[in-house]
Amino acid sequence: MAIIAADIQWRKGAPYSTLFNEFYISPSNETEQNESEFLQLGDFKRRWQGLSKHCASFTIAETGFGAGLNFLSCSDLWLNIAPKSSVLEFFSAELFPIDKAELAKILSQRPHLRNLSDELIKHYPVPVAGIHSIELFQGRVRLHLMFGDANEMFSSISQSPNKEQAHYNRRPVDVWLLDGFAPTNNPAMWSPELLATIASLSDQTTIALTANIDQKKILTVSKNLQSAGFLIQPTESNGPQKLRLKALFSGRKHQQLELDNSSGSTQWHLDKTVRPITTRDQEVTIIGAGIAGCTTAVALAKRGFKVKVIDRHPRAGQEGSGNSQAIVYPKLSPRDDVLPRINLQALLFSSRYYAPFWEGGLGNQCGVISLPGNAKIAEDFIQISQRFSGCGDFVQLIENDELCDRSGLSLASSIGLFFPLLGWLPPSIICQQLLKEHGIPLIHANIDHFNHQQSDSRWHLFDTSENLVYSTDILVVATAYGCEKFEQTNFLPVTQLRGQISKLPVGTRTKSLKTIVCGDGYITPAHDNYHSCGATYNKGLFSTELRVQDHEMNIAQMGHTDSGLGDALENLDATKMDGRANFRCTTKDYLPIVGPVPNFSSMLKDFGFLRRDARADSMMMGDYLPNLYINCGMGSRGLSYAPYTAELLATQISQQIPSLERDLIQAMHPARFLIRDLKKKRL
């Protein structure tokens, strides 16, 4: 998962790429002048000054992030002239990211951008392959930094492997910055394949701007752009040896339809109903004020929607999110399967998301130590550390002496993984604070059912007495296993799984615990004179009454995790312990359920052919209930998953290009169970 960092030498006081034989910043002053000319070529100042206050976002995509100079220059102009209610969405790919310390050194040469570059460096992600979404500059800019091959990354965020549907029901990219190294040194960044992908995410309002192009290669670049469907406008000189191009997408995509290598109904996740672009004055109502519902509410409020949350409790975070201490739980794998990829991206995103809360004194970013339960897991830990070498800010393999030093306890394990960016939080307080900070009202009501009326194209929500509680344009169900009671979502295979945490009194040996330690279970450092320890998994038990045997099980799990930890927890009386029991919402594949709710009966009919041939190819799209979405099924990792799934759902509702790969979206999609069950003849 770790990727190769850029190999940089300093020549004539400027950073030089040894791989591409080109300077990142010219030793002369021409680079700073070029950045200004680049903004002028795109006519950004006029375009952004003319944006309506109702324009929720403007999207720029860049083929090479490099030292981030284009990003910082665009952000600087955007912050000065664009409407404060709009957000700049900036996608940028980079196969060889610059090391954080090296980046700081490079950007120090641009003192006029210092405040912006300092914030970028502070939030610069660890060098792990994939998409890193970062909110910067008081939320006015969202950087989606894509570590990987540009063509692969931009193909991965398209809606379909069929390029004709790449931004189906989504807003296109507004401006492309084609800014890899020169075509002579880096031909892949100017290839017909990449430009065809770029065209697939464009429409007739999209323009493309080139970086410095050698005169010898200008004809090849122009030809490739034209083949992709762009109309070349007159070239603009940028010195005696370099040229820039401006191109407008014509809407004519000359490439052939392309499908990926997978077979069988590759477009079931797309809604066959073409939706008009969502407007920011639409109302969104979320049923459920747990961590999933509250993070979703905030993600939508930031995009300008009028959001309300409804819950059967008068305060947010009173059920599954009601524990006083919950951990951002780390779970990595040496494999590249979908589940570990989603776990990884969710961990990285949530560690950034919760940083302001930790900085504000909520919870504790104390780090998490994960201990191996057996020799096989220990071997996995070693492989994980090898895969994430160079990512010490995120995860480190540490041996016994350091384990003891980091944790503050005398542990017996020989190795462990240490995650310095993680910690614990009080999720109920986080939920309440999220709603308060963003002015999102909480309506106290117990929703029994809802229906969609064609007369006003709105969802109408009713309580158990058939009273109309509220009506809304867009509805999100975030009620965990409570989705089973609604007619529209009761087909989803979720399980209500009880969990009990124990409050262990601080002892003479445990009071020195400095980090969270987890394995079979977890234990937190002392807070309010107790440690939080858990949690049990009780299937088929539906009581929230505390059980002594579950306290005993939690203590025993810690002993199984590490004998030294077990010794530190001796002489505890489970009969006198406090704690809390509530329920998780789990799924068969251990992944959340996030996205639009399918029309079950219609999908069953349309995709019935999969019963006969599970590998049948089909371009058929799915049928989805209008403006109905769901976000649930996070199991015991709600704190880790919720910010990540909320961001995904917000991009779907606002019809933005998503900031995560298509296969990961499909892996969490609500219709996935229906498609799988048809293929396996279970339906």
PDB file of all heavy atoms in Angstrom, residues 645-674:
ATOM      1  N   THR A 645     -18.169   7.121   5.382  1.00  0.00           N
ATOM      2  CA  THR A 645     -19.408   6.796   4.673  1.00  0.00           C
ATOM      3  C   THR A 645     -20.289   8.034   4.513  1.00  0.00           C
ATOM      4  O   THR A 645     -21.012   8.160   3.523  1.00  0.00           O
ATOM      5  CB  THR A 645     -20.179   5.688   5.407  1.00  0.00           C
ATOM      6  OG1 THR A 645     -20.513   6.116   6.732  1.00  0.00           O
ATOM      7  CG2 THR A 645     -19.366   4.414   5.472  1.00  0.00           C
ATOM      8  N   ALA A 646     -20.223   8.953   5.484  1.00  0.00           N
ATOM      9  CA  ALA A 646     -20.988  10.195   5.368  1.00  0.00           C
ATOM     10  C   ALA A 646     -20.527  11.008   4.163  1.00  0.00           C
ATOM     11  O   ALA A 646     -21.340  11.580   3.422  1.00  0.00           O
ATOM     12  CB  ALA A 646     -20.848  11.021   6.643  1.00  0.00           C
ATOM     13  N   GLU A 647     -19.216  11.062   3.966  1.00  0.00           N
ATOM     14  CA  GLU A 647     -18.664  11.795   2.825  1.00  0.00           C
ATOM     15  C   GLU A 647     -19.094  11.148   1.520  1.00  0.00           C
ATOM     16  O   GLU A 647     -19.452  11.835   0.553  1.00  0.00           O
ATOM     17  CB  GLU A 647     -17.136  11.841   2.934  1.00  0.00           C
ATOM     18  CG  GLU A 647     -16.466  12.750   1.937  1.00  0.00           C
ATOM     19  CD  GLU A 647     -16.752  14.227   2.176  1.00  0.00           C
ATOM     20  OE1 GLU A 647     -17.256  14.575   3.268  1.00  0.00           O
ATOM     21  OE2 GLU A 647     -16.483  15.023   1.263  1.00  0.00           O
ATOM     22  N   LEU A 648     -19.059   9.826   1.449  1.00  0.00           N
ATOM     23  CA  LEU A 648     -19.521   9.117   0.252  1.00  0.00           C
ATOM     24  C   LEU A 648     -20.973   9.449  -0.043  1.00  0.00           C
ATOM     25  O   LEU A 648     -21.335   9.793  -1.177  1.00  0.00           O
ATOM     26  CB  LEU A 648     -19.349   7.604   0.441  1.00  0.00           C
ATOM     27  CG  LEU A 648     -20.087   6.717  -0.576  1.00  0.00           C
ATOM     28  CD1 LEU A 648     -19.637   7.020  -1.994  1.00  0.00           C
ATOM     29  CD2 LEU A 648     -19.883   5.242  -0.236  1.00  0.00           C
ATOM     30  N   LEU A 649     -21.822   9.356   0.973  1.00  0.00           N
ATOM     31  CA  LEU A 649     -23.250   9.601   0.764  1.00  0.00           C
ATOM     32  C   LEU A 649     -23.504  11.047   0.339  1.00  0.00           C
ATOM     33  O   LEU A 649     -24.347  11.315  -0.521  1.00  0.00           O
ATOM     34  CB  LEU A 649     -24.023   9.278   2.043  1.00  0.00           C
ATOM     35  CG  LEU A 649     -25.518   9.019   1.872  1.00  0.00           C
ATOM     36  CD1 LEU A 649     -25.766   7.854   0.942  1.00  0.00           C
ATOM     37  CD2 LEU A 649     -26.168   8.754   3.219  1.00  0.00           C
ATOM     38  N   ALA A 650     -22.767  11.982   0.913  1.00  0.00           N
ATOM     39  CA  ALA A 650     -22.947  13.387   0.561  1.00  0.00           C
ATOM     40  C   ALA A 650     -22.586  13.646  -0.896  1.00  0.00           C
ATOM     41  O   ALA A 650     -23.247  14.437  -1.583  1.00  0.00           O
ATOM     42  CB  ALA A 650     -22.111  14.274   1.480  1.00  0.00           C
ATOM     43  N   THR A 651     -21.529  12.987  -1.402  1.00  0.00           N
ATOM     44  CA  THR A 651     -21.186  13.169  -2.811  1.00  0.00           C
ATOM     45  C   THR A 651     -22.250  12.563  -3.714  1.00  0.00           C
ATOM     46  O   THR A 651     -22.532  13.094  -4.793  1.00  0.00           O
ATOM     47  CB  THR A 651     -19.818  12.541  -3.146  1.00  0.00           C
ATOM     48  OG1 THR A 651     -19.847  11.131  -2.904  1.00  0.00           O
ATOM     49  CG2 THR A 651     -18.712  13.165  -2.314  1.00  0.00           C
ATOM     50  N   GLN A 652     -22.862  11.459  -3.282  1.00  0.00           N
ATOM     51  CA  GLN A 652     -23.911  10.845  -4.093  1.00  0.00           C
ATOM     52  C   GLN A 652     -25.154  11.735  -4.154  1.00  0.00           C
ATOM     53  O   GLN A 652     -25.734  11.939  -5.223  1.00  0.00           O
ATOM     54  CB  GLN A 652     -24.267   9.468  -3.532  1.00  0.00           C
ATOM     55  CG  GLN A 652     -23.148   8.454  -3.685  1.00  0.00           C
ATOM     56  CD  GLN A 652     -23.476   7.120  -3.044  1.00  0.00           C
ATOM     57  OE1 GLN A 652     -24.164   7.049  -2.023  1.00  0.00           O
ATOM     58  NE2 GLN A 652     -22.982   6.041  -3.614  1.00  0.00           N
ATOM     59  N   ILE A 653     -25.549  12.271  -3.007  1.00  0.00           N
ATOM     60  CA  ILE A 653     -26.752  13.111  -2.976  1.00  0.00           C
ATOM     61  C   ILE A 653     -26.531  14.415  -3.724  1.00  0.00           C
ATOM     62  O   ILE A 653     -27.425  14.902  -4.425  1.00  0.00           O
ATOM     63  CB  ILE A 653     -27.172  13.362  -1.514  1.00  0.00           C
ATOM     64  CG1 ILE A 653     -27.639  12.049  -0.874  1.00  0.00           C
ATOM     65  CG2 ILE A 653     -28.262  14.426  -1.420  1.00  0.00           C
ATOM     66  CD1 ILE A 653     -27.922  12.147   0.614  1.00  0.00           C
ATOM     67  N   SER A 654     -25.338  14.995  -3.605  1.00  0.00           N
ATOM     68  CA  SER A 654     -25.046  16.260  -4.289  1.00  0.00           C
ATOM     69  C   SER A 654     -24.568  16.046  -5.719  1.00  0.00           C
ATOM     70  O   SER A 654     -24.270  17.009  -6.421  1.00  0.00           O
ATOM     71  CB  SER A 654     -24.003  17.055  -3.502  1.00  0.00           C
ATOM     72  OG  SER A 654     -22.816  16.299  -3.345  1.00  0.00           O
ATOM     73  N   GLN A 655     -24.482  14.785  -6.148  1.00  0.00           N
ATOM     74  CA  GLN A 655     -24.122  14.408  -7.519  1.00  0.00           C
ATOM     75  C   GLN A 655     -22.737  14.908  -7.911  1.00  0.00           C
ATOM     76  O   GLN A 655     -22.500  15.316  -9.048  1.00  0.00           O
ATOM     77  CB  GLN A 655     -25.189  14.895  -8.506  1.00  0.00           C
ATOM     78  CG  GLN A 655     -26.535  14.224  -8.289  1.00  0.00           C
ATOM     79  CD  GLN A 655     -27.627  14.830  -9.147  1.00  0.00           C
ATOM     80  OE1 GLN A 655     -28.265  15.787  -8.735  1.00  0.00           O
ATOM     81  NE2 GLN A 655     -27.834  14.287 -10.317  1.00  0.00           N
ATOM     82  N   GLN A 656     -21.818  14.848  -6.975  1.00  0.00           N
ATOM     83  CA  GLN A 656     -20.439  15.201  -7.258  1.00  0.00           C
ATOM     84  C   GLN A 656     -19.652  13.960  -7.671  1.00  0.00           C
ATOM     85  O   GLN A 656     -20.044  12.834  -7.368  1.00  0.00           O
ATOM     86  CB  GLN A 656     -19.785  15.812  -6.009  1.00  0.00           C
ATOM     87  CG  GLN A 656     -20.390  17.121  -5.566  1.00  0.00           C
ATOM     88  CD  GLN A 656     -19.809  17.592  -4.249  1.00  0.00           C
ATOM     89  OE1 GLN A 656     -19.743  16.853  -3.283  1.00  0.00           O
ATOM     90  NE2 GLN A 656     -19.370  18.838  -4.205  1.00  0.00           N
ATOM     91  N   ILE A 657     -18.543  14.177  -8.351  1.00  0.00           N
ATOM     92  CA  ILE A 657     -17.626  13.077  -8.619  1.00  0.00           C
ATOM     93  C   ILE A 657     -17.144  12.544  -7.279  1.00  0.00           C
ATOM     94  O   ILE A 657     -16.714  13.311  -6.415  1.00  0.00           O
ATOM     95  CB  ILE A 657     -16.456  13.557  -9.490  1.00  0.00           C
ATOM     96  CG1 ILE A 657     -16.963  13.918 -10.891  1.00  0.00           C
ATOM     97  CG2 ILE A 657     -15.367  12.489  -9.581  1.00  0.00           C
ATOM     98  CD1 ILE A 657     -15.915  14.518 -11.786  1.00  0.00           C
ATOM     99  N   PRO A 658     -17.206  11.235  -7.053  1.00  0.00           N
ATOM    100  CA  PRO A 658     -16.871  10.691  -5.729  1.00  0.00           C
ATOM    101  C   PRO A 658     -15.379  10.738  -5.463  1.00  0.00           C
ATOM    102  O   PRO A 658     -14.555  10.756  -6.381  1.00  0.00           O
ATOM    103  CB  PRO A 658     -17.369   9.246  -5.816  1.00  0.00           C
ATOM    104  CG  PRO A 658     -17.268   8.913  -7.272  1.00  0.00           C
ATOM    105  CD  PRO A 658     -17.612  10.186  -8.008  1.00  0.00           C
ATOM    106  N   SER A 659     -15.039  10.749  -4.197  1.00  0.00           N
ATOM    107  CA  SER A 659     -13.633  10.781  -3.801  1.00  0.00           C
ATOM    108  C   SER A 659     -13.164   9.415  -3.312  1.00  0.00           C
ATOM    109  O   SER A 659     -12.267   9.325  -2.479  1.00  0.00           O
ATOM    110  CB  SER A 659     -13.424  11.835  -2.713  1.00  0.00           C
ATOM    111  OG  SER A 659     -14.302  11.612  -1.627  1.00  0.00           O
ATOM    112  N   LEU A 660     -13.769   8.351  -3.816  1.00  0.00           N
ATOM    113  CA  LEU A 660     -13.254   7.008  -3.574  1.00  0.00           C
ATOM    114  C   LEU A 660     -13.575   6.129  -4.771  1.00  0.00           C
ATOM    115  O   LEU A 660     -14.456   6.434  -5.582  1.00  0.00           O
ATOM    116  CB  LEU A 660     -13.778   6.395  -2.278  1.00  0.00           C
ATOM    117  CG  LEU A 660     -15.235   6.041  -2.144  1.00  0.00           C
ATOM    118  CD1 LEU A 660     -15.406   5.030  -1.011  1.00  0.00           C
ATOM    119  CD2 LEU A 660     -16.064   7.260  -1.817  1.00  0.00           C
ATOM    120  N   GLU A 661     -12.845   5.029  -4.873  1.00  0.00           N
ATOM    121  CA  GLU A 661     -12.892   4.208  -6.060  1.00  0.00           C
ATOM    122  C   GLU A 661     -14.234   3.506  -6.236  1.00  0.00           C
ATOM    123  O   GLU A 661     -14.893   3.138  -5.278  1.00  0.00           O
ATOM    124  CB  GLU A 661     -11.759   3.172  -6.029  1.00  0.00           C
ATOM    125  CG  GLU A 661     -10.365   3.768  -6.066  1.00  0.00           C
ATOM    126  CD  GLU A 661      -9.793   3.998  -4.679  1.00  0.00           C
ATOM    127  OE1 GLU A 661     -10.568   4.400  -3.775  1.00  0.00           O
ATOM    128  OE2 GLU A 661      -8.593   3.783  -4.482  1.00  0.00           O
ATOM    129  N   ARG A 662     -14.578   3.265  -7.512  1.00  0.00           N
ATOM    130  CA  ARG A 662     -15.872   2.680  -7.844  1.00  0.00           C
ATOM    131  C   ARG A 662     -16.064   1.307  -7.216  1.00  0.00           C
ATOM    132  O   ARG A 662     -17.162   0.984  -6.728  1.00  0.00           O
ATOM    133  CB  ARG A 662     -16.006   2.582  -9.375  1.00  0.00           C
ATOM    134  CG  ARG A 662     -17.360   2.045  -9.866  1.00  0.00           C
ATOM    135  CD  ARG A 662     -17.451   2.058 -11.383  1.00  0.00           C
ATOM    136  NE  ARG A 662     -16.470   1.198 -12.014  1.00  0.00           N
ATOM    137  CZ  ARG A 662     -15.396   1.646 -12.673  1.00  0.00           C
ATOM    138  NH1 ARG A 662     -15.161   2.942 -12.777  1.00  0.00           N
ATOM    139  NH2 ARG A 662     -14.554   0.803 -13.228  1.00  0.00           N
ATOM    140  N   ASP A 663     -15.023   0.469  -7.202  1.00  0.00           N
ATOM    141  CA  ASP A 663     -15.199  -0.868  -6.637  1.00  0.00           C
ATOM    142  C   ASP A 663     -15.448  -0.813  -5.130  1.00  0.00           C
ATOM    143  O   ASP A 663     -16.147  -1.668  -4.584  1.00  0.00           O
ATOM    144  CB  ASP A 663     -14.009  -1.767  -6.977  1.00  0.00           C
ATOM    145  CG  ASP A 663     -12.694  -1.278  -6.392  1.00  0.00           C
ATOM    146  OD1 ASP A 663     -12.534  -0.059  -6.215  1.00  0.00           O
ATOM    147  OD2 ASP A 663     -11.817  -2.123  -6.126  1.00  0.00           O
ATOM    148  N   LEU A 664     -14.918   0.203  -4.458  1.00  0.00           N
ATOM    149  CA  LEU A 664     -15.188   0.348  -3.029  1.00  0.00           C
ATOM    150  C   LEU A 664     -16.619   0.830  -2.796  1.00  0.00           C
ATOM    151  O   LEU A 664     -17.281   0.419  -1.843  1.00  0.00           O
ATOM    152  CB  LEU A 664     -14.192   1.321  -2.399  1.00  0.00           C
ATOM    153  CG  LEU A 664     -12.709   0.983  -2.555  1.00  0.00           C
ATOM    154  CD1 LEU A 664     -11.862   1.932  -1.718  1.00  0.00           C
ATOM    155  CD2 LEU A 664     -12.427  -0.461  -2.170  1.00  0.00           C
ATOM    156  N   ILE A 665     -17.095   1.720  -3.663  1.00  0.00           N
ATOM    157  CA  ILE A 665     -18.482   2.182  -3.567  1.00  0.00           C
ATOM    158  C   ILE A 665     -19.434   1.014  -3.750  1.00  0.00           C
ATOM    159  O   ILE A 665     -20.399   0.841  -2.988  1.00  0.00           O
ATOM    160  CB  ILE A 665     -18.751   3.281  -4.611  1.00  0.00           C
ATOM    161  CG1 ILE A 665     -17.917   4.529  -4.308  1.00  0.00           C
ATOM    162  CG2 ILE A 665     -20.236   3.637  -4.661  1.00  0.00           C
ATOM    163  CD1 ILE A 665     -17.995   5.593  -5.383  1.00  0.00           C
ATOM    164  N   GLN A 666     -19.166   0.175  -4.757  1.00  0.00           N
ATOM    165  CA  GLN A 666     -20.038  -0.964  -5.012  1.00  0.00           C
ATOM    166  C   GLN A 666     -19.985  -1.973  -3.869  1.00  0.00           C
ATOM    167  O   GLN A 666     -20.991  -2.628  -3.570  1.00  0.00           O
ATOM    168  CB  GLN A 666     -19.636  -1.634  -6.328  1.00  0.00           C
ATOM    169  CG  GLN A 666     -19.987  -0.807  -7.553  1.00  0.00           C
ATOM    170  CD  GLN A 666     -19.519  -1.462  -8.831  1.00  0.00           C
ATOM    171  OE1 GLN A 666     -18.333  -1.768  -8.995  1.00  0.00           O
ATOM    172  NE2 GLN A 666     -20.432  -1.696  -9.751  1.00  0.00           N
ATOM    173  N   ALA A 667     -18.833  -2.085  -3.220  1.00  0.00           N
ATOM    174  CA  ALA A 667     -18.696  -3.033  -2.110  1.00  0.00           C
ATOM    175  C   ALA A 667     -19.539  -2.637  -0.914  1.00  0.00           C
ATOM    176  O   ALA A 667     -19.862  -3.485  -0.072  1.00  0.00           O
ATOM    177  CB  ALA A 667     -17.229  -3.140  -1.697  1.00  0.00           C
ATOM    178  N   MET A 668     -19.919  -1.358  -0.803  1.00  0.00           N
ATOM    179  CA  MET A 668     -20.762  -0.889   0.301  1.00  0.00           C
ATOM    180  C   MET A 668     -22.183  -0.566  -0.147  1.00  0.00           C
ATOM    181  O   MET A 668     -22.994  -0.091   0.641  1.00  0.00           O
ATOM    182  CB  MET A 668     -20.120   0.350   0.947  1.00  0.00           C
ATOM    183  CG  MET A 668     -18.781   0.088   1.603  1.00  0.00           C
ATOM    184  SD  MET A 668     -18.091   1.553   2.447  1.00  0.00           S
ATOM    185  CE  MET A 668     -17.428   2.463   1.054  1.00  0.00           C
ATOM    186  N   HIS A 669     -22.488  -0.830  -1.402  1.00  0.00           N
ATOM    187  CA  HIS A 669     -23.758  -0.416  -1.991  1.00  0.00           C
ATOM    188  C   HIS A 669     -24.933  -1.228  -1.442  1.00  0.00           C
ATOM    189  O   HIS A 669     -24.825  -2.447  -1.259  1.00  0.00           O
ATOM    190  CB  HIS A 669     -23.688  -0.584  -3.508  1.00  0.00           C
ATOM    191  CG  HIS A 669     -24.691   0.217  -4.262  1.00  0.00           C
ATOM    192  ND1 HIS A 669     -26.020  -0.118  -4.317  1.00  0.00           N
ATOM    193  CD2 HIS A 669     -24.556   1.350  -4.995  1.00  0.00           C
ATOM    194  CE1 HIS A 669     -26.665   0.769  -5.059  1.00  0.00           C
ATOM    195  NE2 HIS A 669     -25.801   1.676  -5.483  1.00  0.00           N
ATOM    196  N   PRO A 670     -26.074  -0.605  -1.165  1.00  0.00           N
ATOM    197  CA  PRO A 670     -27.224  -1.344  -0.624  1.00  0.00           C
ATOM    198  C   PRO A 670     -27.743  -2.450  -1.534  1.00  0.00           C
ATOM    199  O   PRO A 670     -28.340  -3.414  -1.046  1.00  0.00           O
ATOM    200  CB  PRO A 670     -28.291  -0.245  -0.446  1.00  0.00           C
ATOM    201  CG  PRO A 670     -27.520   1.019  -0.299  1.00  0.00           C
ATOM    202  CD  PRO A 670     -26.321   0.860  -1.172  1.00  0.00           C
ATOM    203  N   ALA A 671     -27.536  -2.341  -2.856  1.00  0.00           N
ATOM    204  CA  ALA A 671     -28.065  -3.351  -3.780  1.00  0.00           C
ATOM    205  C   ALA A 671     -27.144  -4.545  -3.937  1.00  0.00           C
ATOM    206  O   ALA A 671     -27.501  -5.505  -4.627  1.00  0.00           O
ATOM    207  CB  ALA A 671     -28.331  -2.714  -5.148  1.00  0.00           C
ATOM    208  N   ARG A 672     -25.986  -4.537  -3.305  1.00  0.00           N
ATOM    209  CA  ARG A 672     -25.019  -5.612  -3.530  1.00  0.00           C
ATOM    210  C   ARG A 672     -25.548  -6.966  -3.085  1.00  0.00           C
ATOM    211  O   ARG A 672     -25.275  -7.989  -3.727  1.00  0.00           O
ATOM    212  CB  ARG A 672     -23.703  -5.307  -2.820  1.00  0.00           C
ATOM    213  CG  ARG A 672     -23.741  -5.362  -1.282  1.00  0.00           C
ATOM    214  CD  ARG A 672     -22.431  -4.886  -0.687  1.00  0.00           C
ATOM    215  NE  ARG A 672     -22.281  -5.064   0.748  1.00  0.00           N
ATOM    216  CZ  ARG A 672     -22.576  -4.157   1.661  1.00  0.00           C
ATOM    217  NH1 ARG A 672     -23.091  -2.991   1.296  1.00  0.00           N
ATOM    218  NH2 ARG A 672     -22.370  -4.406   2.952  1.00  0.00           N
ATOM    219  N   PHE A 673     -26.314  -6.991  -1.994  1.00  0.00           N
ATOM    220  CA  PHE A 673     -26.827  -8.261  -1.480  1.00  0.00           C
ATOM    221  C   PHE A 673     -27.831  -8.868  -2.458  1.00  0.00           C
ATOM    222  O   PHE A 673     -27.838 -10.075  -2.690  1.00  0.00           O
ATOM    223  CB  PHE A 673     -27.489  -8.046  -0.117  1.00  0.00           C
ATOM    224  CG  PHE A 673     -26.601  -7.397   0.895  1.00  0.00           C
ATOM    225  CD1 PHE A 673     -26.791  -6.066   1.256  1.00  0.00           C
ATOM    226  CD2 PHE A 673     -25.565  -8.095   1.494  1.00  0.00           C
ATOM    227  CE1 PHE A 673     -25.978  -5.456   2.192  1.00  0.00           C
ATOM    228  CE2 PHE A 673     -24.742  -7.495   2.435  1.00  0.00           C
ATOM    229  CZ  PHE A 673     -24.946  -6.165   2.778  1.00  0.00           C
ATOM    230  N   LEU A 674     -28.659  -8.017  -3.030  1.00  0.00           N
ATOM    231  CA  LEU A 674     -29.668  -8.479  -3.985  1.00  0.00           C
ATOM    232  C   LEU A 674     -28.984  -9.102  -5.199  1.00  0.00           C
ATOM    233  O   LEU A 674     -29.366 -10.189  -5.646  1.00  0.00           O
ATOM    234  CB  LEU A 674     -30.534  -7.277  -4.386  1.00  0.00           C
ATOM    235  CG  LEU A 674     -31.790  -7.483  -5.216  1.00  0.00           C
ATOM    236  CD1 LEU A 674     -32.750  -6.313  -4.985  1.00  0.00           C
ATOM    237  CD2 LEU A 674     -31.480  -7.574  -6.695  1.00  0.00           C
TER     238      LEU A 674
END
